[in-house]
Amino acid sequence: MRYLLLILLASQGLTACSPAPQEHRDTLYVFGTLVEVTQWGVNDTEAAKTLKSIETDLNFMHEAYHAWKPGSLGRVNSLLSTTSRFTANTSLLDLIAESKDLSHKSDGLFNPAIGKLIGLWGFHQDEMPLGPPPTLIAISTLLDKHPSMADIRIDGFYMQSRNPAVQLDLGAIAKGYALDKITEGLATEGRSNLIINAGGNLKVLGTHGDRPWRIAIRHPRNNGVLAALDTQSGEAVVTSGDYERFFDYRGKRYHHIIDPRSGYPSTGTMSVTVVDKNGALADAASTALFIAGAKDWQRIARQMGVTQVLLMSSDGTVYVTPALKDRLTFTTPPARLIVSATE
Ligand code: AMP
Ligand code: MG
């Protein structure tokens, strides 16, 4: 089972304590992951109602955005490969349009058009693949077709791909986008003090009583906490890590974040956390900055418009922007900490 990437902390300290009476904590298994919902200051009936609506919406979006099971995206993918014009559901059109824009801003490092490549690596199944990794020839055959979000044209209700090799995998943005929409809906209904943690994607509404919701950023290797953060209402905290989905084959780790330039799992980074009020942006950026790595993350962050970033490279160095560093309490002091602005 995949780990919960961000651990919700119940108290100001770093050890979870038993829930206070005003707190409801529940776990769902939806969107292919464990989803932890914590609500503050509501009675049992209200808490159950909110939980049910979150579960229903997540299930709906999971069906709509799933990369390999039949559903709305499956239909879109088969129509994209025909290169003819077709109509699509507006909720998907909106997400695909946002993905196109973010892919462009990331210089194509966030590239949801490489669905075939991700499938080739074996990540289009619920179980972890066992390997072996695909052959170089199979990878280059797909890369040579240059699937890109720029191949997709959106015109009102219509969309079309000029490249039959384009197959969408929205796994790097869909959860961030879904949590944005769900929390927007909950806020309009006046349900305002809760936190949803969907395996590495977290979104916060309101506060935990008279203090902010405090969350923990997971250390990518030791299963413990790297740093704690007091969140603000409406913020998303999104982490991409090489420990989320991977397989080991003959002593080498092959994980699920694929560098679209090489066709192989990206090397040099262990995890990236991005904090932003726009969860879809934070999600796409966490994946893109993971691939950009220690050398290029600042430039891509600037282009994508994110200012609160933490990146841990494979040698254990932590790179952090001043805007995020000032808000963090490190529990495991990093061996090397480099504070660098994106502006
Ligand atoms: P995340 O955990 O948000 O970084 O998303 C990782 C997921 O996004 C993977 O499991 C794939 O489904 C998909 N993915 C992998 N590499 C890329 C990429 N370069 N661009 C867009 N999506 C990707
Ligand atoms: Mg992402």
Side-chain angles (χ1 to χ4, degrees), residues 25-71:
R25 210 183 301 171
D26 298 279
T27 305
L28 305 165
Y29 188 79
V30 273
F31 233 95
T33 187
L34 282 176
V35 178
E36 195 177 39
V37 179
T38 312
Q39 307 182 52
W40 177 263
V42 283
N43 64 34
D44 291 354
T45 317
E46 287 166 327
K49 194 174 155 210
T50 303
L51 186 70
K52 189 73 214 155
S53 98
I54 292 171
E55 185 175 21
T56 306
D57 291 351
L58 280 172
N59 273 326
F60 172 78
M61 294 190 197
H62 185 50
E63 189 275 337
Y65 306 143
H66 206 289
W68 68 89
K69 290 187 184 153

Side-chain angles (χ1 to χ4, degrees), residues 109-112 114 118 169 171-172 239-240 244 256-258 260 283 286-287 291:
L109 297 184
F110 162 68
N111 183 2
I114 59 167
I118 296 162
D169 176 328
T239 298
S240 286
E244 284 184 84
H256 68 144
I257 302 173
I258 308 295
D283 199 354
S286 70
T287 310
I291 299 166

